[in-house]
Amino acid sequence: MNAPEKNNWDRRYDQEDYFYGHEPNHFVGPEVGKLPVGRGLFLAEGEGRNAVHAARLGHSVTALDNSWVGQQKAQKLAQEQGTSLDYRLCDLVADPWDMRDFDFVVLCFAHLPPELMGHVHAQAVESLRPGGRLIHCSFAKSQFGRKSGGPPRLDWLHDLGTVQQQYAGVEFDRAVEHEVELNEAAGHRGLAMVIEISGTKKTG
């Protein structure tokens, strides 16, 4: 299979090292580790560190991202760690991804233009079965100006209250904005202001 024309994320990932490392995110990893084995959907999954972690725990994993290079590196990482995942090339905005009945959905540092982000968050909830788990980690607006990671545009960073509203139909057991120390290879390093959300899709 010939590689398609590279997009911005392909160019970022097009190196031997993994831009955000091999290990799962500080919040996503432990949250996934609490779940019974099931079906997980990972959105904007990049080089696959979180999805591969879930697959190693026995989950059936589907990952979506528009980076061909990210897909190749994720599959390589999965093979090296003795597991596999279904990684589909998909633009979360331009392409249809009408997927349903997942036991959990993960969004880790998925930042899009603000006029599009709400639709993606709503679709994430639609992808969950009733009682399914939502796991979200992103950069807060208070991260703006820091060099530890995240988009360099204030409007692409997240507001906790707005994100909670966009996840209508989820009962939250954690929804916080706080400072953490990130150590995610070259991509995210240092003190950062993040939003962490976990919750369950309501059954009624």
Side-chain angles (χ1 to χ4, degrees):
M1 176 181 176
N2 294 326
E5 182 178 350
K6 288 184 172 63
N7 62 28
N8 289 336
W9 286 104
D10 286 326
R11 288 187 283 272
R12 175 170 292 185
Y13 297 147
D14 195 10
Q15 56 181 301
E16 183 176 353
D17 293 337
Y18 282 67
F19 191 70
Y20 299 111
H22 299 87
E23 298 301 316
N25 170 261
H26 72 280
F27 180 64
V28 172
E31 287 295 312
V32 170
K34 299 174 187 176
L35 302 174
V37 172
R39 296 175 63 240
L41 176 63
F42 289 73
L43 303 179
E45 178 53 17
E47 298 166 302
R49 61 195 177 108
N50 293 309
V52 170
H53 171 71
R56 287 187 65 196
L57 294 176
H59 297 289
S60 174
V61 174
T62 299
L64 304 182
D65 198 285
N66 68 351
S67 171
W68 182 85
V69 175
Q71 180 193 50
Q72 303 309 300
K73 292 178 78 172
Q75 291 173 337
K76 178 176 182 287
L77 182 63
Q79 184 178 28
E80 290 173 349
Q81 298 197 11
T83 191
S84 63
L85 63 157
D86 176 15
Y87 192 124
R88 306 181 189 185
L89 289 179
C90 176
D91 186 304
L92 296 181
V93 175
D95 298 329
W97 48 284
D98 186 16
M99 310 182 79
R100 293 289 186 274
D101 296 324
F102 281 89
D103 296 303
F104 62 98
V105 174
V106 175
L107 297 93
C108 184
F109 298 126
H111 290 267
L112 295 170
E115 66 272 16
L116 304 174
M117 198 75 257
H119 176 65
V120 171
H121 286 163
Q123 278 191 285
V125 178
E126 286 297 311
S127 298
L128 283 168
R129 65 167 176 80
R133 295 286 293 173
L134 172 75
I135 301 170
H136 168 113
C137 183
S138 66
F139 287 108
K141 288 189 179 295
S142 53
Q143 173 69 3
F144 185 66
R146 297 192 182 203
K147 304 301 184 184
S148 48
R153 296 179 52 171
L154 180 62
D155 58 339
W156 282 48
L157 296 168
H158 291 170
D159 171 76
L160 176 59
T162 300
V163 173
Q164 287 180 270
Q165 291 174 1
Q166 292 170 347
Y167 285 135
V170 173
E171 185 173 352
F172 305 108
D173 47 60
R174 180 174 178 82
V176 299
E177 173 184 331
H178 68 149
E179 186 176 61
V180 299
E181 178 83 28
L182 295 179
N183 185 19
E184 299 182 332
H188 298 150
R189 185 175 293 275
L191 292 173
M193 296 300 298
V194 301
I195 288 171
E196 297 170 359
I197 292 175
S198 61
T200 302
K201 185 174 179 178
K202 298 174 183 177
T203 57

